[in-house]
Amino acid sequence: MNALAATSRNFKQAAKLLGLDSKLEKSLLIPFREIKVECTIPKDDGTLASYVGFRVQHDNARGPMKGGIRYHHEVDPDEVNALAQLMTWKTAVANIPYGGAKGGIGCSPGDLSISELERLTRVFTQKIHDLIGIHTDVPAPDMGTNSQTMAWILDEYSKFHGYSPAVVTGKPVDLGGSLGRDAATGRGVLFATEALLAEHGKGIAGQRFVIQGFGNVGSWAAQLISEAGGKVIAISDVTGAIKNVNGLDIAKLVKHSAENRGIKGFNGGDAIDPNSLLTEECDVLVPAALGGVINKDNANDIKAKYIIEAANHPTDPEILSKKGVLILPDILANSGGVTVSYFEWVQNIQGFMWDEEKVNAELRTYMTRAFGDVKQMCQSHNCDLRMGAFTLGVNRVARATVLRGWEA
């Protein structure tokens, strides 16, 4: 099931549980605006190249729209649509005053030089600058983009609108980025996991973790879980997978991965088949890489008691409703990134920056409160955590929409 089908399915189930009016339900599904632009740039060799960029702005009932911009050769309008919609529900679950958006440019960033990427980013910004803004739509980095990309967007946007640091989040700290933003999604995963385990009288310490993916989210989650006393026994990335039943030394692994561009060859554990990683014996499984990795082919072999969805849509929702596996859904588990993006935006608007301790303390408060709100919806509607999160998010957006005078 692809991301769009899964998101729509979850939304429809939530709408049914909430008893939403069918006209309101349809209105919530349709994006507010879809933008498609042509971006033509001179390449370094003097030839011209054209790329298609787009932005899907899904909903702004609860505040400015928010979502990443990805540079990827397979930027697909359907997937971007699903991710924009998912951002609407995610920001509502986290209870931050945003709606959802997503965007991207169909290109292979690895094939472009830094100066070509800069030109492409600036042309894209010129084409959409009057459709994004501090109180309209606030982009952030995503796959294939980073803090430097945000710096270029900020600079180009400011040429039209004056100095506006709050127009993007995930910026370099020197340009008004927030401390703690880099680790935010991984730290949010830690806080969400703590909240889930506490429900069952457990803590992070002593639990065995398996983490799929060692990029920004997976590596930070591994470090923070390990510091909190959790035992990370297996990890994989694109280069391979390693296992050590006594727990991997995450600090050494981070260093090895940075020096060798991956975890392959790390001598603090045994190499295992990456395909068997998800079915390793453990307490908590954290898929932090791609979507759709837990599906009908491997679901029955999963031995974890808890699955924390650090990636977007890693679990096919049709399956794993089997007894005994508790899934903490992505729209709650990985919302730490957008929550700290919100803190960054607040700091920029106030012109007053926070220290890292305050950022992390506020993040813990938001993640723990969101988990409590989701649990309440689970009890009200007698549903699992995924439907609890979707009913919570959809209900908040629906209420805001009606209060603003939807039928006017």
Side-chain angles (χ1 to χ4, degrees):
M1 186 182 287
N2 71 19
L4 186 62
T7 305
S8 297
R9 170 191 178 275
N10 291 332
F11 167 77
K12 287 190 175 109
Q13 267 191 296
K16 198 171 165 187
L17 280 174
L18 292 163
L20 284 193
D21 174 82
S22 62
K23 291 194 286 294
L24 177 60
E25 182 184 333
K26 189 179 176 187
S27 155
L28 289 177
L29 261 186
I30 298 168
F32 170 79
R33 185 192 280 141
E34 293 187 33
I35 303 144
K36 186 175 179 184
V37 293
E38 181 196 27
C39 302
T40 302
I41 59 160
K43 300 278 292 261
D44 291 346
D45 61 7
T47 60
L48 289 178
S50 284
Y51 303 91
V52 177
F54 44 90
R55 185 82 177 155
V56 174
Q57 298 175 330
H58 180 258
D59 191 279
N60 63 355
R62 298 181 68 258
M65 292 164 284
K66 183 93 192 81
I69 289 179
R70 55 176 54 183
Y71 288 2
H72 193 264
H73 60 279
E74 284 175 352
V75 164
D76 158 288
D78 263 5
E79 189 188 26
V80 172
N81 226 313
L83 292 169
Q85 190 197 131
L86 209 54
M87 282 301 292
T88 299
W89 317 133
K90 187 185 290 188
T91 51
V93 168
N95 208 10
I96 52 182
Y98 283 145
K102 206 78 174 185
I105 299 177
C107 67
S108 299
D111 299 343
L112 297 171
S113 70
I114 292 289
S115 56
E116 287 168 343
L117 282 170
E118 179 174 351
R119 288 195 287 276
L120 182 57
T121 303
R122 288 183 184 278
V123 169
F124 183 52
T125 309
Q126 288 162 18
K127 296 282 176 93
I128 65 166
H129 76 88
D130 51 350
L131 297 167
I132 62 172
I134 296 166
H135 301 296
T136 317
D137 178 3
V138 182
D142 200 299
M143 201 188 291
T145 58
N146 55 25
S147 60
Q148 179 60 69
T149 321
M150 297 305 109
W152 292 327
I153 294 175
L154 162 61
D155 183 65
E156 200 59 34
Y157 181 86
S158 296
K159 290 174 185 174
F160 295 95
H161 302 275
Y163 180 60
S164 315
V167 72
V168 287
T169 59
K171 301 179 289 295
V173 173
D174 292 339
L175 289 177
S178 178
L179 294 170
R181 175 64 188 87
D182 196 35
T185 310
R187 196 176 294 277
V189 167
L190 170 78
F191 293 154
T193 308
E194 282 179 341
L196 178 67
L197 291 174
E199 276 282 308
H200 298 88
K202 296 174 181 165
I204 298 281
Q207 300 292 315
R208 295 165 306 152
F209 289 80
V210 166
I211 298 176
Q212 185 202 33
F214 205 62
N216 175 278
V217 181
S219 62
W220 274 110
Q223 287 173 72
L224 296 163
I225 284 165
S226 168
E227 283 167 21
K231 195 189 280 187
V232 183
I233 57 166
I235 285 179
S236 71
D237 70 0
V238 288
T239 65
I242 45 165
K243 178 182 177 182
N244 182 338
V245 287
N246 299 315
L248 293 157
D249 185 327
I250 303 299
K252 280 186 183 162
L253 182 60
V254 168
K255 191 166 178 280
H256 173 90
S257 176
E259 287 166 0
N260 300 277
R261 295 190 162 198
I263 63 173
K264 193 178 181 183
F266 180 65
N267 60 13
D270 303 318
I272 56 169
D273 176 5
N275 296 321
S276 72
L277 182 99
L278 295 166
T279 57
E280 285 290 333
E281 184 88 44
C282 66
D283 301 306
V284 185
L285 175 62
V286 184
L290 299 167
V293 292
I294 298 172
N295 48 46
K296 63 180 190 303
D297 300 333
N298 59 11
N300 289 330
D301 303 321
I302 299 249
K303 300 177 186 75
K305 302 178 190 73
Y306 306 97
I307 293 175
I308 311 292
E309 294 188 336
N312 280 324
H313 179 57
T315 314
D316 195 317
E318 291 282 306
I319 47 136
L320 273 189
S321 46
K322 63 172 190 164
K323 291 182 187 67
V325 181
L326 268 179
I327 302 174
L328 196 66
D330 49 6
I331 64 169
L332 172 59
N334 67 24
S335 64
V338 71
T339 303
V340 175
S341 273
Y342 162 61
F343 300 161
E344 181 178 332
W345 180 75
V346 167
Q347 292 168 73
N348 293 156
I349 288 173
Q350 291 183 333
F352 181 80
M353 305 310 283
W354 304 352
D355 61 28
E356 195 165 343
E357 238 171 283
K358 179 174 167 70
V359 173
N360 294 342
E362 289 287 337
L363 177 59
R364 181 188 286 275
T365 303
Y366 272 76
M367 294 299 296
T368 310
R369 188 169 56 207
F371 180 79
D373 293 345
V374 167
K375 283 298 292 184
Q376 225 168 345
M377 288 306 261
C378 292
Q379 284 153 7
S380 304
H381 296 283
N382 190 23
C383 58
D384 63 10
L385 285 164
R386 188 182 307 284
M387 270 307 111
F390 267 88
T391 50
L392 176 66
V394 172
N395 190 43
R396 281 179 173 159
V397 179
R399 272 171 42 193
T401 304
V402 170
L403 284 166
R404 287 180 68 149
W406 173 68
E407 288 178 341

